[in-house]
Amino acid sequence: MTDFKIKEKKDYNLTELANSLYNIAEAAYQTGSPWKKEQYLADLKNALTNYFILEEDGHLVAFLAYQKILDEVEISNLAVHPDVQNKGYGAFLMKLVDKISGANQIFLEVRVRNFSAQNLYLAHGYEVISRRGDYYQNPPEDALIMLKKVGPIQKNEF
């Protein structure tokens, strides 16, 4: 990894940040951005949503959006611009999520045909726990629901 910084949404003008996030996701996802610019802006304005934003040499190149409610974290979006993929930025962002204070479980959804993302998540200790039919649109596709236990709750305890 070269010179990079991690920032949060409070460090930016939210309208400009929403445009940048959209552009990264549009380039990164095979099917284009899953959200419209307006959806990014609404998410950024949501007090429950947090972002890890990665800048390389002063340019926004990757982000991870999440919400933490009680002891659960849900990752809602992760994208790394294609120009900087395979530098370990996605893995770095995933490690940051593991360190969120008070989190015991981390959930996410991923397209069933997004094998590169699934491999990243599996490599970081996530496991498939369920499948949601037609969760994604454009094109319609099922989602795999993945979970990682990071806190004191262990399997078979509930």
Side-chain angles (χ1 to χ4, degrees):
M1 288 190 265
T2 60
D3 182 31
F4 70 94
K5 294 179 183 176
I6 295 294
K7 293 188 173 184
E8 298 177 38
K9 68 182 183 180
K10 66 180 174 55
D11 300 322
Y12 296 90
N13 170 290
L14 295 186
T15 301
E16 292 174 9
L17 180 57
N19 288 332
S20 295
L21 298 177
Y22 173 82
N23 291 335
I24 290 172
E26 185 70 14
Y29 288 110
Q30 196 172 41
T31 57
S33 177
W35 297 351
K36 297 176 182 173
K37 290 179 187 179
E38 298 78 18
Q39 290 172 294
Y40 282 102
L41 184 57
D43 197 52
L44 288 165
K45 289 180 177 179
N46 182 340
L48 296 176
T49 303
N50 295 297
Y51 278 75
F52 293 126
I53 301 160
L54 196 145
E55 287 187 1
E56 179 185 83
D57 300 323
H59 300 287
L60 198 151
V61 296
F63 68 91
L64 184 146
Y66 69 93
Q67 286 191 352
K68 179 178 179 259
I69 300 175
L70 300 175
D71 66 341
E72 293 183 357
V73 171
E74 181 175 1
I75 297 172
S76 58
N77 210 333
L78 168 65
V80 178
H81 194 282
D83 291 346
V84 296
Q85 287 180 359
N86 301 313
K87 286 188 167 187
Y89 291 151
F92 180 80
L93 291 169
M94 295 300 294
K95 288 177 186 174
L96 287 177
V97 174
D98 288 351
K99 297 177 185 206
I100 294 172
S101 178
N104 290 325
Q105 303 180 94
I106 306 169
F107 292 90
L108 59 85
E109 292 95 10
V110 61
R111 285 181 178 270
V112 294
R113 289 183 285 221
N114 189 344
F115 301 114
S116 61
Q118 289 175 42
N119 288 335
L120 173 68
Y121 305 144
L122 290 168
H124 282 86
Y126 288 76
E127 54 187 83
V128 175
I129 61 166
S130 186
R131 183 178 181 131
R132 286 192 179 137
D134 291 330
Y135 180 77
Y136 292 101
Q137 303 305 313
N138 302 320
E141 188 172 352
D142 290 358
L144 297 177
I145 301 171
M146 300 183 82
L147 168 68
K148 180 177 184 179
K149 307 270 186 180
V150 291
I153 297 173
Q154 298 296 318
K155 289 182 185 174
N156 302 322
E157 282 190 9
F158 42 111

